[in-house]
Amino acid sequence: MADERPDWQKIGEEFIQLYYSRFDTGNRSSLGELYYQTAWMTWEGEMFHGKEAVVNKLTNLPFKTIQHNITKQDCQPTPDNCIVVMVMGQLKADNDPVMGFQQVFQLRNELGSWGCSNDMFRLSIHNFGA
């Protein structure tokens, strides 16, 4: 039976697989190939604009090893022919405890090639106490 997933679903899932495999193998500098020159990223509330700033942040994160475990991912097409991808999962960095995270990507197509124009990342750390 043929794969019945819509193209936008396949593109989103393939992007996520590629992104986290590069991230987890310690090849974070190669993530730059997945971002557009004008990309925006918000990492834990801190904003970065442009591929160089995004890659600089990703390559200078304060851990040596990381492993992402994707729990769920949702993909949607947008009216302007982009794809929004939301990822939920857990990550383990160095000897830190396992933490939940969410990440949202907006993918767009330029000249037949898909890349990331927007990226938002948050750890699932909440203080419900006070």
Side-chain angles (χ1 to χ4, degrees), residues 5-112:
R5 295 174 301 160
D7 285 345
W8 49 265
Q9 182 76 29
K10 289 186 257 186
I11 292 164
E13 290 171 358
E14 289 170 5
F15 176 85
I16 294 308
Q17 183 179 7
L18 179 61
Y19 181 89
Y20 291 109
S21 68
R22 287 186 181 193
F23 205 117
D24 290 356
T25 58
N27 196 8
R28 287 183 267 160
S29 62
S30 74
L31 291 171
E33 298 169 8
L34 306 178
Y35 288 89
Y36 284 110
Q37 288 295 334
T38 57
W40 285 90
M41 180 176 74
T42 303
W43 188 275
E44 286 292 303
E46 188 178 1
M47 294 194 66
F48 302 89
H49 183 236
K51 180 193 291 198
E52 185 177 332
V54 169
V55 172
N56 186 53
K57 176 63 178 177
L58 294 174
T59 57
N60 288 298
L61 290 168
F63 50 80
K64 294 183 187 208
T65 62
I66 189 164
Q67 182 63 47
H68 293 85
N69 179 24
I70 306 304
T71 307
K72 295 286 183 188
Q73 63 185 24
D74 296 307
C75 304
Q76 290 183 349
T78 67
D80 57 350
N81 297 316
C82 292
I83 301 169
V84 175
V85 182
M86 183 182 82
V87 177
M88 292 179 57
Q90 296 180 320
L91 61 82
K92 172 102 173 94
D94 294 334
N95 293 320
D96 292 343
V98 174
M99 295 178 274
F101 78 95
Q102 292 89 36
Q103 194 159 9
V104 177
F105 300 93
Q106 179 166 312
L107 310 177
R108 68 182 159 108
N109 190 313
E110 282 188 9
L111 305 173

